[in-house]
Amino acid sequence: MFEQHTIVFGIGVSTGTAAAEVVKVLPAPGVDTSEPASEDPAADGQRVREAMASVAAALKDQAERSSAKARPILEATAQLA
């Protein structure tokens, strides 16, 4: 089995270091240029908040069923949503 290793550098968010497996999802979603501009920003904002709450709930649910190694990652990601 062929394994490819890539070292990724960036700006850290803590004073420590970390090493872990990474899952990189490609390609990144694009922007739908055919979608019309918002006519009701408040309603669209509410729709986005509801979607984010749904994602957070799904991540929390997944965290409850995950391994001890994956659980804190999913819980932290849920807090970002």
Side-chain angles (χ1 to χ4, degrees):
M1 179 172 149
F2 176 74
E3 290 186 27
Q4 180 179 357
H5 297 276
T6 303
I7 298 174
V8 180
F9 296 93
I11 298 172
V13 295
S14 71
T15 58
T17 60
E21 295 177 11
V22 173
V23 176
K24 189 173 182 181
V25 180
L26 294 174
V31 175
D32 183 359
T33 57
S34 67
E35 184 176 341
S38 175
E39 293 183 14
D40 186 351
D44 290 341
Q46 181 60 34
R47 190 172 57 132
V48 168
R49 285 186 291 280
E50 289 169 2
M52 291 170 64
S54 175
V55 168
L59 287 167
K60 289 176 185 175
D61 183 56
Q62 181 68 36
E64 291 176 6
R65 295 176 286 140
S66 295
S67 68
K69 191 174 185 180
R71 186 174 300 119
I73 297 166
L74 291 165
E75 290 171 343
T77 306
Q79 291 178 4
L80 296 172

